[in-house]
Amino acid sequence: RRPISPPRAAAPRTSPPVPPPRAQPQSCTRWHRAPHMLSLVACLAAPTSTPGINISLLTFDGTPGSSFRFVQLNDPVMGGRSHGSWSVNSSAGGFGVMDGEVVTIPSLNVPGFIKAAADGAFRDASAAASGSLELLVRSSTPEYAGFRVAVASGTLAPSYACAGGGSVPLSRGCYKAKFSVPAASGWVRVSIPFAAFSDLWSPATGEHTRECSDDLSACLTAERLKTIKRVELWAEGASGAVHLECKSISAVASDEHSAGGRVSGGGGGLRGSIRPPVEFDTCSARVQPSLRYGISGRASPDVPAPVDASESLAEAVCCDVRARPFAEPQFMFAAPDISLFLRLDPTGPTTFYDSVCGIPLFRAPLNRTVAAFRKDTEEHGWPSFRSAEVVLENVLTDESTGLVSSKCGTHLGTYLPDDMGPRWCMDLSCIAGRPIESSSAVA
């Protein structure tokens, strides 16, 4: 496993590892993982996406360049009993349908799989490399826990790579990621950060054996996104009935500065985010499915607290009270997959929104330069805001404990004044939301 995030401490970076009393906070420095240990897509040296780009990879309406023939494949291994079918429904503009059931293989006592795959020369998606793969889908089996999608590139034999997952010789180049389909009456957009893909996974379960943060060669890079040769939809690693309808698959660039970068209401943007158990959950709703600055790519909690392993970093740090003494990794804002200061609005102050409810929390820089904001942040290791930059009606600060939260209940970070005055040291994970209408929040 990667090193874990240590608890917040108020000691200067040069101090020995003994946290001083919280009642006298003087510095933003908190115990942390080594800052060079990155989580997800460290191989992307800097954001390469252009805001607003949406590259259509797959449709089922006959459009040239995005219409490809899918073939169904069911688990053939050692008495596998999983069964499925693939069809295209030409109504409502056309959509693909995968139906079937994943059944446990008796001889192995593990679930089998079904999948549908399409080969072809897909459009160049490299301009969206720091964004997400977006599926427009719906399902009558939203409870099914084994949905996955894979794209193959950089391999001479895509079908072989997508059977081996890098576990057998010459089977690298099939990048796979999990997704969930929320219950809904209509089509929903499921966004899967390219940061969440890896071409090192178990052919028995589909689970990643190495993440991009552990092995840079596992990353789905812009170079690979230029030449996608195969796309697969999977149901594996979990037994149960499967019904998935897919209307389109696109590569979507990050849109931090786009006015249209809002989470759709009615659960339309959810990717199946996990909430902590109710007795530990302080948030008013789920963490947003597509956080800014690449935060949604941080898919594991990575805090030394007994949180659920299925929680993302944002879900743990921002919502799970068991993780309250801990912080996201120090200097995470500078990680190659985040690169916060390359993503700020160059025309004026950037507004930072609650990662759950989407209300504005901070606007920076105000009454200082970008360079001063960056220096303050780099000195302490977490985004650091001053009094003029706080949206006071939305940010609740307990000066006696140092804890900072939003009025929605989202934990944000720590209040740690220094010799320059009041200072809010925030976890970027918790202030990376997108603006959202209050009526659109999904509990």
Side-chain angles (χ1 to χ4, degrees):
R1 293 286 298 163
R2 299 183 294 279
I4 54 179
S5 292
R8 304 174 193 271
R13 285 186 290 176
T14 56
S15 297
V18 177
R22 293 189 62 150
Q24 306 261 339
Q26 295 298 323
S27 168
C28 277
T29 299
R30 296 172 279 188
W31 290 20
H32 55 281
R33 300 185 297 177
H36 64 282
M37 297 301 294
L38 308 179
S39 176
L40 293 178
V41 197
C43 53
L44 299 179
T48 58
S49 298
T50 302
I53 284 181
N54 186 310
I55 302 162
S56 177
L57 298 176
L58 268 170
T59 59
F60 300 92
D61 57 2
T63 300
S66 64
S67 296
F68 298 88
R69 178 175 174 267
F70 273 79
V71 176
Q72 181 76 24
L73 176 65
N74 302 324
D75 184 6
V77 177
M78 299 181 68
R81 299 177 181 176
S82 301
H83 56 89
S85 64
W86 176 267
S87 61
V88 175
N89 188 316
S90 59
S91 65
F95 55 91
V97 182
M98 185 166 68
D99 255 319
E101 183 180 10
V102 176
V103 180
T104 296
I105 302 170
S107 60
L108 301 176
N109 198 31
V110 296
F113 72 85
I114 63 176
K115 72 174 181 178
D119 292 301
F122 294 86
R123 290 188 173 113
D124 180 350
S126 59
S130 66
S132 303
L133 192 72
E134 186 176 275
L135 284 65
L136 185 59
V137 292
R138 63 188 179 189
S139 176
S140 61
T141 58
E143 71 282 357
Y144 183 71
F147 288 124
R148 291 168 170 79
V149 62
V151 297
S153 177
T155 172
L156 295 177
S159 60
Y160 174 72
C162 288
S167 66
V168 295
L170 304 178
S171 65
R172 302 290 299 274
C174 184
Y175 301 85
K176 185 180 285 191
K178 297 179 179 180
F179 68 94
S180 299
V181 183
S185 58
W187 297 105
V188 294
R189 297 188 184 277
V190 174
S191 180
I192 311 165
F194 289 122
F197 286 78
S198 171
D199 73 341
L200 291 170
W201 43 268
S202 167
T205 65
E207 295 292 332
H208 290 177
T209 56
R210 299 282 286 176
E211 301 291 352
C212 174
S213 57
D214 301 321
D215 186 337
L216 301 187
S217 70
C219 302
L220 182 52
T221 62
E223 180 183 0
R224 293 296 185 228
L225 288 169
K226 284 182 180 180
T227 55
I228 297 172
K229 298 179 178 180
R230 185 179 177 96
V231 175
E232 298 187 337
L233 293 169
W234 287 71
E236 69 173 332
S239 298
V242 176
H243 180 86
L244 178 68
E245 299 179 4
C246 180
K247 192 169 182 62
S248 66
I249 298 178
S250 304
V252 179
S254 300
D255 59 352
E256 275 80 283
H257 312 314
S258 170
R262 295 177 180 268
V263 177
S264 59
L270 284 176
R271 58 163 177 81
S273 61
I274 304 297
R275 296 192 70 171
V278 64
E279 63 269 29
F280 303 117
D281 189 358
T282 64
C283 287
S284 61
R286 301 176 191 233
V287 169
Q288 290 183 10
S290 184
L291 298 175
R292 291 176 166 179
Y293 319 120
I295 296 298
S296 287
R298 302 294 174 123
S300 57
D302 292 330
V303 289
V307 300
D308 293 0
S310 57
E311 294 177 26
S312 68
L313 180 63
E315 288 154 357
V317 172
C318 311
C319 298
D320 196 322
V321 71
R322 295 171 292 181
R324 193 53 37 88
F326 304 97
E328 68 188 17
Q330 190 182 31
F331 299 108
M332 189 178 80
F333 70 87
D337 59 321
I338 307 290
S339 298
L340 173 64
F341 284 93
L342 294 179
R343 300 179 187 242
L344 298 185
D345 189 343
T347 64
T350 293
T351 300
F352 294 83
Y353 297 90
D354 190 298
S355 291
V356 174
C357 66
I359 59 173
L361 301 171
F362 301 92
R363 297 186 180 95
L366 286 176
N367 297 340
R368 57 176 173 167
T369 64
V370 172
F373 175 36
R374 181 168 188 165
K375 181 180 179 182
D376 208 6
T377 296
E378 289 177 341
E379 178 182 350
H380 304 296
W382 287 267
S384 298
F385 301 92
R386 298 295 176 172
S387 297
E389 298 165 330
V390 183
V391 182
L392 292 175
E393 63 268 29
N394 294 334
V395 176
L396 307 178
T397 304
D398 187 332
E399 296 187 17
S400 64
T401 65
L403 295 179
V404 181
S405 61
S406 77
K407 70 177 185 181
C408 297
T410 309
H411 175 67
L412 304 178
T414 309
Y415 174 73
L416 295 170
D418 62 3
D419 55 4
M420 295 178 59
R423 184 178 74 233
W424 286 258
C425 295
M426 299 295 97
D427 290 297
L428 184 60
S429 302
C430 307
I431 60 171
R434 298 179 185 275
I436 183 172
E437 301 299 330
S438 59
S439 60
S440 297
V442 180

PDB file of all heavy atoms in Angstrom, residues 39-44 128-133 176-177 192-198 208 211-213 218-221 225 294-299 337-338:
ATOM      1  N   SER A  39      -1.351  10.088  -5.749  1.00  0.00           N
ATOM      2  CA  SER A  39      -2.464   9.168  -5.903  1.00  0.00           C
ATOM      3  C   SER A  39      -3.154   9.432  -7.220  1.00  0.00           C
ATOM      4  O   SER A  39      -3.788  10.463  -7.397  1.00  0.00           O
ATOM      5  CB  SER A  39      -3.452   9.371  -4.753  1.00  0.00           C
ATOM      6  OG  SER A  39      -4.577   8.570  -4.912  1.00  0.00           O
ATOM      7  N   LEU A  40      -3.003   8.539  -8.176  1.00  0.00           N
ATOM      8  CA  LEU A  40      -3.711   8.517  -9.441  1.00  0.00           C
ATOM      9  C   LEU A  40      -3.211   9.546 -10.455  1.00  0.00           C
ATOM     10  O   LEU A  40      -3.185  10.736 -10.216  1.00  0.00           O
ATOM     11  CB  LEU A  40      -5.221   8.696  -9.255  1.00  0.00           C
ATOM     12  CG  LEU A  40      -5.893   7.539  -8.535  1.00  0.00           C
ATOM     13  CD1 LEU A  40      -7.366   7.857  -8.374  1.00  0.00           C
ATOM     14  CD2 LEU A  40      -5.732   6.247  -9.291  1.00  0.00           C
ATOM     15  N   VAL A  41      -2.850   9.076 -11.579  1.00  0.00           N
ATOM     16  CA  VAL A  41      -2.453   9.836 -12.735  1.00  0.00           C
ATOM     17  C   VAL A  41      -1.280  10.758 -12.479  1.00  0.00           C
ATOM     18  O   VAL A  41      -1.230  11.873 -12.975  1.00  0.00           O
ATOM     19  CB  VAL A  41      -3.640  10.629 -13.335  1.00  0.00           C
ATOM     20  CG1 VAL A  41      -3.330  11.081 -14.739  1.00  0.00           C
ATOM     21  CG2 VAL A  41      -4.854   9.745 -13.436  1.00  0.00           C
ATOM     22  N   ALA A  42      -0.311  10.327 -11.695  1.00  0.00           N
ATOM     23  CA  ALA A  42       0.906  11.090 -11.529  1.00  0.00           C
ATOM     24  C   ALA A  42       1.651  11.187 -12.847  1.00  0.00           C
ATOM     25  O   ALA A  42       2.511  12.039 -13.016  1.00  0.00           O
ATOM     26  CB  ALA A  42       1.793  10.429 -10.478  1.00  0.00           C
ATOM     27  N   CYS A  43       1.311  10.300 -13.793  1.00  0.00           N
ATOM     28  CA  CYS A  43       2.025  10.310 -15.067  1.00  0.00           C
ATOM     29  C   CYS A  43       1.570  11.446 -15.966  1.00  0.00           C
ATOM     30  O   CYS A  43       2.216  11.737 -16.962  1.00  0.00           O
ATOM     31  CB  CYS A  43       1.794   8.987 -15.794  1.00  0.00           C
ATOM     32  SG  CYS A  43       0.053   8.589 -15.955  1.00  0.00           S
ATOM     33  N   LEU A  44       0.465  12.112 -15.646  1.00  0.00           N
ATOM     34  CA  LEU A  44       0.037  13.242 -16.447  1.00  0.00           C
ATOM     35  C   LEU A  44       0.775  14.466 -15.918  1.00  0.00           C
ATOM     36  O   LEU A  44       0.422  15.021 -14.891  1.00  0.00           O
ATOM     37  CB  LEU A  44      -1.477  13.430 -16.346  1.00  0.00           C
ATOM     38  CG  LEU A  44      -2.296  12.234 -16.849  1.00  0.00           C
ATOM     39  CD1 LEU A  44      -3.777  12.519 -16.677  1.00  0.00           C
ATOM     40  CD2 LEU A  44      -1.974  11.955 -18.306  1.00  0.00           C
ATOM     41  N   ALA A 128      -8.829  15.533 -24.001  1.00  0.00           N
ATOM     42  CA  ALA A 128      -9.584  15.411 -22.751  1.00  0.00           C
ATOM     43  C   ALA A 128      -8.824  14.611 -21.703  1.00  0.00           C
ATOM     44  O   ALA A 128      -9.408  14.107 -20.752  1.00  0.00           O
ATOM     45  CB  ALA A 128     -10.934  14.755 -23.028  1.00  0.00           C
ATOM     46  N   ALA A 129      -7.510  14.511 -21.846  1.00  0.00           N
ATOM     47  CA  ALA A 129      -6.724  13.569 -21.031  1.00  0.00           C
ATOM     48  C   ALA A 129      -6.848  13.786 -19.536  1.00  0.00           C
ATOM     49  O   ALA A 129      -6.772  12.836 -18.765  1.00  0.00           O
ATOM     50  CB  ALA A 129      -5.258  13.624 -21.443  1.00  0.00           C
ATOM     51  N   SER A 130      -7.024  15.000 -19.074  1.00  0.00           N
ATOM     52  CA  SER A 130      -7.166  15.216 -17.633  1.00  0.00           C
ATOM     53  C   SER A 130      -8.618  15.317 -17.207  1.00  0.00           C
ATOM     54  O   SER A 130      -8.920  15.710 -16.084  1.00  0.00           O
ATOM     55  CB  SER A 130      -6.408  16.476 -17.190  1.00  0.00           C
ATOM     56  OG  SER A 130      -6.989  17.630 -17.754  1.00  0.00           O
ATOM     57  N   GLY A 131      -9.512  14.896 -18.115  1.00  0.00           N
ATOM     58  CA  GLY A 131     -10.933  14.900 -17.808  1.00  0.00           C
ATOM     59  C   GLY A 131     -11.465  13.519 -17.498  1.00  0.00           C
ATOM     60  O   GLY A 131     -10.860  12.772 -16.737  1.00  0.00           O
ATOM     61  N   SER A 132     -12.576  13.170 -18.127  1.00  0.00           N
ATOM     62  CA  SER A 132     -13.285  11.954 -17.772  1.00  0.00           C
ATOM     63  C   SER A 132     -13.852  11.250 -18.991  1.00  0.00           C
ATOM     64  O   SER A 132     -14.046  11.864 -20.048  1.00  0.00           O
ATOM     65  CB  SER A 132     -14.453  12.273 -16.822  1.00  0.00           C
ATOM     66  OG  SER A 132     -14.024  12.940 -15.664  1.00  0.00           O
ATOM     67  N   LEU A 133     -14.117   9.975 -18.824  1.00  0.00           N
ATOM     68  CA  LEU A 133     -14.932   9.237 -19.773  1.00  0.00           C
ATOM     69  C   LEU A 133     -16.365   9.348 -19.275  1.00  0.00           C
ATOM     70  O   LEU A 133     -16.659   9.036 -18.123  1.00  0.00           O
ATOM     71  CB  LEU A 133     -14.504   7.775 -19.833  1.00  0.00           C
ATOM     72  CG  LEU A 133     -15.086   6.958 -20.986  1.00  0.00           C
ATOM     73  CD1 LEU A 133     -14.442   7.378 -22.311  1.00  0.00           C
ATOM     74  CD2 LEU A 133     -14.892   5.464 -20.765  1.00  0.00           C
ATOM     75  N   LYS A 176      -8.916  -0.289 -17.566  1.00  0.00           N
ATOM     76  CA  LYS A 176     -10.250  -0.611 -17.033  1.00  0.00           C
ATOM     77  C   LYS A 176     -10.552   0.236 -15.803  1.00  0.00           C
ATOM     78  O   LYS A 176      -9.661   0.609 -15.049  1.00  0.00           O
ATOM     79  CB  LYS A 176     -10.327  -2.097 -16.678  1.00  0.00           C
ATOM     80  CG  LYS A 176     -11.700  -2.580 -16.223  1.00  0.00           C
ATOM     81  CD  LYS A 176     -11.695  -4.068 -15.881  1.00  0.00           C
ATOM     82  CE  LYS A 176     -11.662  -4.921 -17.122  1.00  0.00           C
ATOM     83  NZ  LYS A 176     -11.910  -6.358 -16.815  1.00  0.00           N
ATOM     84  N   ALA A 177     -11.849   0.531 -15.598  1.00  0.00           N
ATOM     85  CA  ALA A 177     -12.295   1.258 -14.404  1.00  0.00           C
ATOM     86  C   ALA A 177     -13.705   0.825 -14.053  1.00  0.00           C
ATOM     87  O   ALA A 177     -14.485   0.412 -14.912  1.00  0.00           O
ATOM     88  CB  ALA A 177     -12.253   2.766 -14.645  1.00  0.00           C
ATOM     89  N   ILE A 192     -16.389   9.069 -15.291  1.00  0.00           N
ATOM     90  CA  ILE A 192     -15.303   8.273 -14.720  1.00  0.00           C
ATOM     91  C   ILE A 192     -13.982   8.968 -15.058  1.00  0.00           C
ATOM     92  O   ILE A 192     -13.573   8.982 -16.220  1.00  0.00           O
ATOM     93  CB  ILE A 192     -15.287   6.847 -15.291  1.00  0.00           C
ATOM     94  CG1 ILE A 192     -16.684   6.222 -15.229  1.00  0.00           C
ATOM     95  CG2 ILE A 192     -14.280   5.982 -14.550  1.00  0.00           C
ATOM     96  CD1 ILE A 192     -16.824   4.984 -16.080  1.00  0.00           C
ATOM     97  N   PRO A 193     -13.308   9.572 -14.092  1.00  0.00           N
ATOM     98  CA  PRO A 193     -12.050  10.259 -14.402  1.00  0.00           C
ATOM     99  C   PRO A 193     -11.056   9.304 -15.062  1.00  0.00           C
ATOM    100  O   PRO A 193     -10.938   8.134 -14.676  1.00  0.00           O
ATOM    101  CB  PRO A 193     -11.554  10.714 -13.025  1.00  0.00           C
ATOM    102  CG  PRO A 193     -12.779  10.760 -12.167  1.00  0.00           C
ATOM    103  CD  PRO A 193     -13.649   9.647 -12.660  1.00  0.00           C
ATOM    104  N   PHE A 194     -10.358   9.780 -16.072  1.00  0.00           N
ATOM    105  CA  PHE A 194      -9.313   8.958 -16.681  1.00  0.00           C
ATOM    106  C   PHE A 194      -8.266   8.574 -15.639  1.00  0.00           C
ATOM    107  O   PHE A 194      -7.567   7.569 -15.785  1.00  0.00           O
ATOM    108  CB  PHE A 194      -8.667   9.695 -17.853  1.00  0.00           C
ATOM    109  CG  PHE A 194      -9.575   9.801 -19.061  1.00  0.00           C
ATOM    110  CD1 PHE A 194      -9.909  11.031 -19.593  1.00  0.00           C
ATOM    111  CD2 PHE A 194     -10.097   8.664 -19.646  1.00  0.00           C
ATOM    112  CE1 PHE A 194     -10.751  11.132 -20.688  1.00  0.00           C
ATOM    113  CE2 PHE A 194     -10.943   8.744 -20.742  1.00  0.00           C
ATOM    114  CZ  PHE A 194     -11.271   9.982 -21.270  1.00  0.00           C
ATOM    115  N   ALA A 195      -8.200   9.368 -14.567  1.00  0.00           N
ATOM    116  CA  ALA A 195      -7.299   9.048 -13.458  1.00  0.00           C
ATOM    117  C   ALA A 195      -7.638   7.721 -12.806  1.00  0.00           C
ATOM    118  O   ALA A 195      -6.795   7.124 -12.135  1.00  0.00           O
ATOM    119  CB  ALA A 195      -7.367  10.157 -12.403  1.00  0.00           C
ATOM    120  N   ALA A 196      -8.876   7.250 -12.959  1.00  0.00           N
ATOM    121  CA  ALA A 196      -9.310   6.039 -12.274  1.00  0.00           C
ATOM    122  C   ALA A 196      -9.025   4.767 -13.065  1.00  0.00           C
ATOM    123  O   ALA A 196      -9.306   3.675 -12.583  1.00  0.00           O
ATOM    124  CB  ALA A 196     -10.802   6.135 -11.970  1.00  0.00           C
ATOM    125  N   PHE A 197      -8.470   4.885 -14.270  1.00  0.00           N
ATOM    126  CA  PHE A 197      -8.206   3.721 -15.110  1.00  0.00           C
ATOM    127  C   PHE A 197      -6.802   3.161 -14.849  1.00  0.00           C
ATOM    128  O   PHE A 197      -5.883   3.892 -14.485  1.00  0.00           O
ATOM    129  CB  PHE A 197      -8.321   4.089 -16.587  1.00  0.00           C
ATOM    130  CG  PHE A 197      -9.729   4.285 -17.075  1.00  0.00           C
ATOM    131  CD1 PHE A 197     -10.425   5.450 -16.804  1.00  0.00           C
ATOM    132  CD2 PHE A 197     -10.361   3.302 -17.820  1.00  0.00           C
ATOM    133  CE1 PHE A 197     -11.726   5.637 -17.251  1.00  0.00           C
ATOM    134  CE2 PHE A 197     -11.665   3.470 -18.279  1.00  0.00           C
ATOM    135  CZ  PHE A 197     -12.346   4.648 -17.991  1.00  0.00           C
ATOM    136  N   SER A 198      -6.666   1.865 -15.061  1.00  0.00           N
ATOM    137  CA  SER A 198      -5.364   1.199 -14.982  1.00  0.00           C
ATOM    138  C   SER A 198      -5.365   0.032 -15.954  1.00  0.00           C
ATOM    139  O   SER A 198      -6.414  -0.590 -16.180  1.00  0.00           O
ATOM    140  CB  SER A 198      -5.093   0.696 -13.563  1.00  0.00           C
ATOM    141  OG  SER A 198      -3.927  -0.131 -13.524  1.00  0.00           O
ATOM    142  N   HIS A 208      -8.187  -3.823  -9.908  1.00  0.00           N
ATOM    143  CA  HIS A 208      -6.845  -3.346 -10.211  1.00  0.00           C
ATOM    144  C   HIS A 208      -5.814  -4.048  -9.328  1.00  0.00           C
ATOM    145  O   HIS A 208      -6.016  -4.192  -8.127  1.00  0.00           O
ATOM    146  CB  HIS A 208      -6.743  -1.838  -9.989  1.00  0.00           C
ATOM    147  CG  HIS A 208      -7.505  -1.027 -10.989  1.00  0.00           C
ATOM    148  ND1 HIS A 208      -7.576   0.344 -10.923  1.00  0.00           N
ATOM    149  CD2 HIS A 208      -8.218  -1.384 -12.082  1.00  0.00           C
ATOM    150  CE1 HIS A 208      -8.306   0.800 -11.924  1.00  0.00           C
ATOM    151  NE2 HIS A 208      -8.715  -0.238 -12.638  1.00  0.00           N
ATOM    152  N   GLU A 211      -2.375   0.625  -9.215  1.00  0.00           N
ATOM    153  CA  GLU A 211      -2.963   1.894  -9.632  1.00  0.00           C
ATOM    154  C   GLU A 211      -1.911   2.728 -10.354  1.00  0.00           C
ATOM    155  O   GLU A 211      -0.711   2.483 -10.241  1.00  0.00           O
ATOM    156  CB  GLU A 211      -3.489   2.657  -8.411  1.00  0.00           C
ATOM    157  CG  GLU A 211      -4.541   1.924  -7.610  1.00  0.00           C
ATOM    158  CD  GLU A 211      -5.866   1.782  -8.321  1.00  0.00           C
ATOM    159  OE1 GLU A 211      -6.040   2.394  -9.404  1.00  0.00           O
ATOM    160  OE2 GLU A 211      -6.732   1.043  -7.817  1.00  0.00           O
ATOM    161  N   CYS A 212      -2.376   3.728 -11.044  1.00  0.00           N
ATOM    162  CA  CYS A 212      -1.469   4.642 -11.745  1.00  0.00           C
ATOM    163  C   CYS A 212      -0.490   5.286 -10.774  1.00  0.00           C
ATOM    164  O   CYS A 212       0.673   5.497 -11.104  1.00  0.00           O
ATOM    165  CB  CYS A 212      -2.280   5.709 -12.460  1.00  0.00           C
ATOM    166  SG  CYS A 212      -1.331   7.016 -13.230  1.00  0.00           S
ATOM    167  N   SER A 213      -0.953   5.563  -9.552  1.00  0.00           N
ATOM    168  CA  SER A 213      -0.078   6.192  -8.562  1.00  0.00           C
ATOM    169  C   SER A 213       1.017   5.253  -8.087  1.00  0.00           C
ATOM    170  O   SER A 213       2.064   5.691  -7.624  1.00  0.00           O
ATOM    171  CB  SER A 213      -0.901   6.659  -7.364  1.00  0.00           C
ATOM    172  OG  SER A 213      -1.601   5.569  -6.808  1.00  0.00           O
ATOM    173  N   ALA A 218       0.960   2.361 -15.701  1.00  0.00           N
ATOM    174  CA  ALA A 218      -0.435   1.927 -15.740  1.00  0.00           C
ATOM    175  C   ALA A 218      -1.397   3.051 -16.117  1.00  0.00           C
ATOM    176  O   ALA A 218      -2.588   2.814 -16.299  1.00  0.00           O
ATOM    177  CB  ALA A 218      -0.839   1.341 -14.391  1.00  0.00           C
ATOM    178  N   CYS A 219      -0.901   4.272 -16.242  1.00  0.00           N
ATOM    179  CA  CYS A 219      -1.764   5.436 -16.475  1.00  0.00           C
ATOM    180  C   CYS A 219      -2.306   5.483 -17.907  1.00  0.00           C
ATOM    181  O   CYS A 219      -1.603   5.177 -18.867  1.00  0.00           O
ATOM    182  CB  CYS A 219      -0.992   6.718 -16.211  1.00  0.00           C
ATOM    183  SG  CYS A 219      -0.322   6.863 -14.557  1.00  0.00           S
ATOM    184  N   LEU A 220      -3.540   5.926 -18.016  1.00  0.00           N
ATOM    185  CA  LEU A 220      -4.161   6.176 -19.310  1.00  0.00           C
ATOM    186  C   LEU A 220      -3.828   7.607 -19.713  1.00  0.00           C
ATOM    187  O   LEU A 220      -4.483   8.566 -19.310  1.00  0.00           O
ATOM    188  CB  LEU A 220      -5.665   5.962 -19.231  1.00  0.00           C
ATOM    189  CG  LEU A 220      -6.478   6.132 -20.518  1.00  0.00           C
ATOM    190  CD1 LEU A 220      -5.909   5.311 -21.655  1.00  0.00           C
ATOM    191  CD2 LEU A 220      -7.937   5.768 -20.269  1.00  0.00           C
ATOM    192  N   THR A 221      -2.786   7.773 -20.497  1.00  0.00           N
ATOM    193  CA  THR A 221      -2.231   9.085 -20.816  1.00  0.00           C
ATOM    194  C   THR A 221      -2.837   9.669 -22.086  1.00  0.00           C
ATOM    195  O   THR A 221      -3.565   8.996 -22.826  1.00  0.00           O
ATOM    196  CB  THR A 221      -0.714   8.969 -21.022  1.00  0.00           C
ATOM    197  OG1 THR A 221      -0.481   8.099 -22.140  1.00  0.00           O
ATOM    198  CG2 THR A 221      -0.034   8.386 -19.793  1.00  0.00           C
ATOM    199  N   LEU A 225      -4.772   7.958 -25.328  1.00  0.00           N
ATOM    200  CA  LEU A 225      -6.104   8.378 -25.737  1.00  0.00           C
ATOM    201  C   LEU A 225      -6.169   8.824 -27.200  1.00  0.00           C
ATOM    202  O   LEU A 225      -7.254   8.950 -27.760  1.00  0.00           O
ATOM    203  CB  LEU A 225      -6.597   9.500 -24.823  1.00  0.00           C
ATOM    204  CG  LEU A 225      -6.975   9.064 -23.406  1.00  0.00           C
ATOM    205  CD1 LEU A 225      -7.197  10.271 -22.517  1.00  0.00           C
ATOM    206  CD2 LEU A 225      -8.209   8.180 -23.428  1.00  0.00           C
ATOM    207  N   GLY A 294      -9.265  17.591 -10.611  1.00  0.00           N
ATOM    208  CA  GLY A 294      -8.840  16.205 -10.630  1.00  0.00           C
ATOM    209  C   GLY A 294      -9.071  15.454  -9.329  1.00  0.00           C
ATOM    210  O   GLY A 294      -8.610  14.320  -9.178  1.00  0.00           O
ATOM    211  N   ILE A 295      -9.819  16.046  -8.384  1.00  0.00           N
ATOM    212  CA  ILE A 295      -9.990  15.436  -7.067  1.00  0.00           C
ATOM    213  C   ILE A 295     -10.753  14.109  -7.145  1.00  0.00           C
ATOM    214  O   ILE A 295     -10.489  13.187  -6.371  1.00  0.00           O
ATOM    215  CB  ILE A 295     -10.698  16.407  -6.105  1.00  0.00           C
ATOM    216  CG1 ILE A 295      -9.819  17.648  -5.860  1.00  0.00           C
ATOM    217  CG2 ILE A 295     -11.029  15.726  -4.789  1.00  0.00           C
ATOM    218  CD1 ILE A 295      -8.489  17.341  -5.203  1.00  0.00           C
ATOM    219  N   SER A 296     -11.686  13.988  -8.082  1.00  0.00           N
ATOM    220  CA  SER A 296     -12.452  12.743  -8.165  1.00  0.00           C
ATOM    221  C   SER A 296     -11.570  11.551  -8.521  1.00  0.00           C
ATOM    222  O   SER A 296     -11.974  10.399  -8.335  1.00  0.00           O
ATOM    223  CB  SER A 296     -13.583  12.883  -9.188  1.00  0.00           C
ATOM    224  OG  SER A 296     -14.609  13.714  -8.684  1.00  0.00           O
ATOM    225  N   GLY A 297     -10.361  11.816  -9.041  1.00  0.00           N
ATOM    226  CA  GLY A 297      -9.441  10.728  -9.325  1.00  0.00           C
ATOM    227  C   GLY A 297      -8.837  10.096  -8.083  1.00  0.00           C
ATOM    228  O   GLY A 297      -8.260   9.011  -8.162  1.00  0.00           O
ATOM    229  N   ARG A 298      -8.968  10.760  -6.936  1.00  0.00           N
ATOM    230  CA  ARG A 298      -8.436  10.214  -5.689  1.00  0.00           C
ATOM    231  C   ARG A 298      -9.479   9.262  -5.100  1.00  0.00           C
ATOM    232  O   ARG A 298     -10.286   9.630  -4.259  1.00  0.00           O
ATOM    233  CB  ARG A 298      -8.093  11.348  -4.727  1.00  0.00           C
ATOM    234  CG  ARG A 298      -7.077  12.351  -5.291  1.00  0.00           C
ATOM    235  CD  ARG A 298      -5.742  11.669  -5.487  1.00  0.00           C
ATOM    236  NE  ARG A 298      -4.773  12.532  -6.138  1.00  0.00           N
ATOM    237  CZ  ARG A 298      -3.597  12.847  -5.611  1.00  0.00           C
ATOM    238  NH1 ARG A 298      -3.255  12.385  -4.432  1.00  0.00           N
ATOM    239  NH2 ARG A 298      -2.753  13.595  -6.292  1.00  0.00           N
ATOM    240  N   ALA A 299      -9.446   8.014  -5.574  1.00  0.00           N
ATOM    241  CA  ALA A 299     -10.550   7.093  -5.349  1.00  0.00           C
ATOM    242  C   ALA A 299     -10.441   6.282  -4.064  1.00  0.00           C
ATOM    243  O   ALA A 299     -11.356   5.537  -3.737  1.00  0.00           O
ATOM    244  CB  ALA A 299     -10.674   6.145  -6.538  1.00  0.00           C
ATOM    245  N   ASP A 337      -1.473  15.417 -11.200  1.00  0.00           N
ATOM    246  CA  ASP A 337      -2.858  15.247 -11.635  1.00  0.00           C
ATOM    247  C   ASP A 337      -3.771  16.339 -11.099  1.00  0.00           C
ATOM    248  O   ASP A 337      -4.929  16.424 -11.495  1.00  0.00           O
ATOM    249  CB  ASP A 337      -3.385  13.877 -11.203  1.00  0.00           C
ATOM    250  CG  ASP A 337      -3.336  13.675  -9.694  1.00  0.00           C
ATOM    251  OD1 ASP A 337      -2.357  14.115  -9.067  1.00  0.00           O
ATOM    252  OD2 ASP A 337      -4.271  13.064  -9.139  1.00  0.00           O
ATOM    253  N   ILE A 338      -3.269  17.193 -10.213  1.00  0.00           N
ATOM    254  CA  ILE A 338      -4.053  18.275  -9.632  1.00  0.00           C
ATOM    255  C   ILE A 338      -3.614  19.625 -10.208  1.00  0.00           C
ATOM    256  O   ILE A 338      -4.385  20.332 -10.829  1.00  0.00           O
ATOM    257  CB  ILE A 338      -3.917  18.293  -8.092  1.00  0.00           C
ATOM    258  CG1 ILE A 338      -4.250  16.926  -7.503  1.00  0.00           C
ATOM    259  CG2 ILE A 338      -4.788  19.393  -7.494  1.00  0.00           C
ATOM    260  CD1 ILE A 338      -5.678  16.518  -7.574  1.00  0.00           C
TER     261      ILE A 338
END
